DNA sequence: CACCCGATTATCT
DNA sequence: GATAATCGGGTGT
């Protein structure tokens, strides 16, 4: 099964992704999550954005949290695909992953690194005050703060949840997708497992980008 | 724009 | 005790 990469009109879709979407190689899912819409519904309010940057991590990758086996922190990566893995880092930030892998690896997930806000921008600006523009959500710690995602959402099922879910959003042509090395790692720095939409201002700022 | 650095804490060794 | 899939503010070019 493949997504449609032919010239398709850019039409937003609010159809939720199904379980099988996440049951593929982690790097395929990372690539195909570009253009999808991440939605957080809370207390009658919706905040959402189009995913514009992702990174893939699976358990035979030394940079993956699951590389050294299951722990109290990383156990969601070993659980069912389509669920959330959220971790707290640098004493300040929450980072959001979607559990995704084929049936041949023990654990894996896709880090959502940046979104372009589409709904609830007023609430997003409140959550990120005093920041505006692309600074609202052009980084993994920024987008969770923007949408109000915390460790409380850890292990939530994107496929069945009415609070946190992902929809088809808009289709992205493969020619618009850039592959590069991942950001901020101390090991496995050269693996081409970061994906982002070319020329999208909401993609995080980086120094060196290998394509 | 490029580089440098401190904050702050859950988790792992 | 050390580390970390980050961020934002600071300084210098």
């Amino acid at each position: 099964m493949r997504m449609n990469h032919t010239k398709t009109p850019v039409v937003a879709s609010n159809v939720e992704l199904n379980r099988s979407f996440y049951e593929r190689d982690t790097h395929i899912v990372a690539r195909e999550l570009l253009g999808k819409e991440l939605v957080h519904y809370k207390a009658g309010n919706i905040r959402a954005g189009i995913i514009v940057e992702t990174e893939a991590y699976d358990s035979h990758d030394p940079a993956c949290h699951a590389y050294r086996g299951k722990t109290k922190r990383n156990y969601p990566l070993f659980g069912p695909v389509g669920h959330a893995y959220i971790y707290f880092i640098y004493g300040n930030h929450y980072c959001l992953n979607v559990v995704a892998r084929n049936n041949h690896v023990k654990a894996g997930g896709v880090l959502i690194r940046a979104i372009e806000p589409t709904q609830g921008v007023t609430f997003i600006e409140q959550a990120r005050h005093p920041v505006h523009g692309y600074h609202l959500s052009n980084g993994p710690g920024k987008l969770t703060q923007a949408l109000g995602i915390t460790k409380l959402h850890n292990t939530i099922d994107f496929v069945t949840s009415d609070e946190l879910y992902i929809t088809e959003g808009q289709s992205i042509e493969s020619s618009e997708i850039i592959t590069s090395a991942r950001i901020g790692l101390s090991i496995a720095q050269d693996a081409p497992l970061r994906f982002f939409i070319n020329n999208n201002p909401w993609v995080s700022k980086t120094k060196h980008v290998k394509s």
Side-chain angles (χ1 to χ4, degrees):
Chain A
M1 219 207 279
R2 276 185 55 76
M3 299 300 291
N4 179 12
H5 280 310
T6 57
K7 290 183 182 174
T8 308
V10 179
V11 176
S13 165
N14 57 8
V15 174
E16 287 192 35
L17 301 181
N18 58 31
R19 188 81 57 200
S20 61
F21 179 91
Y22 304 103
E23 290 174 344
R24 297 177 291 169
D25 290 356
T26 305
H27 69 276
I28 299 290
V29 177
R31 203 183 162 83
E32 299 214 352
L33 276 172
L34 297 177
K36 304 298 185 286
E37 188 171 29
L38 173 65
V39 184
H40 182 205
Y41 180 88
K42 180 77 173 181
N45 297 313
I46 279 189
R47 281 178 267 179
I50 297 294
I51 296 169
V52 300
E53 179 181 355
T54 61
E55 285 178 358
Y57 293 87
D58 72 40
S59 50
H60 60 249
D61 167 13
C64 179
H65 288 173
Y67 181 64
R68 291 164 192 257
K70 193 186 292 187
T71 68
K72 183 179 180 182
R73 176 176 70 162
N74 69 23
Y75 72 91
L77 289 172
F78 294 80
V81 300
H83 288 237
Y85 164 50
I86 296 164
Y87 64 91
F88 185 63
I89 196 167
Y90 293 112
N92 280 304
H93 313 288
Y94 296 99
C95 293
L96 171 67
N97 291 251
V98 185
V99 178
R101 62 177 181 278
N102 64 36
N103 294 321
H104 303 295
V105 291
K106 292 179 178 166
V110 175
L111 173 68
I112 311 298
R113 283 196 57 90
I115 61 171
E116 176 172 348
T118 50
Q119 302 184 62
V121 176
T122 302
F123 295 116
I124 289 174
E125 289 180 330
Q126 284 175 10
R128 292 278 299 139
H129 189 270
V131 163
H132 294 285
Y134 59 76
H135 299 286
L136 288 170
S137 54
N138 65 339
K142 297 178 187 180
L143 75 90
T144 53
Q145 186 184 0
L147 295 191
I149 295 168
T150 71
K151 194 104 186 240
L152 294 174
H153 299 93
N154 196 24
T155 74
I156 201 168
D157 185 358
F158 283 99
V159 178
T160 60
S161 174
D162 292 323
E163 182 181 1
L164 192 63
Y165 52 93
I166 302 174
T167 68
E168 289 185 1
Q170 59 194 45
S171 70
I172 305 295
E173 292 188 42
S174 57
S175 63
E176 294 302 307
I177 298 175
I178 309 287
T179 303
S180 80
R182 295 171 294 184
I183 307 298
L185 303 183
S186 54
I187 47 176
Q189 296 162 335
D190 294 333
L193 293 171
R194 171 175 175 248
F195 307 93
F196 60 94
I197 298 177
N198 196 20
N199 295 324
N200 185 296
W202 300 85
V203 170
S204 67
K205 302 302 180 193
T206 62
K207 302 135 199 193
H208 308 291
V209 173
K210 286 188 207 174
S211 299

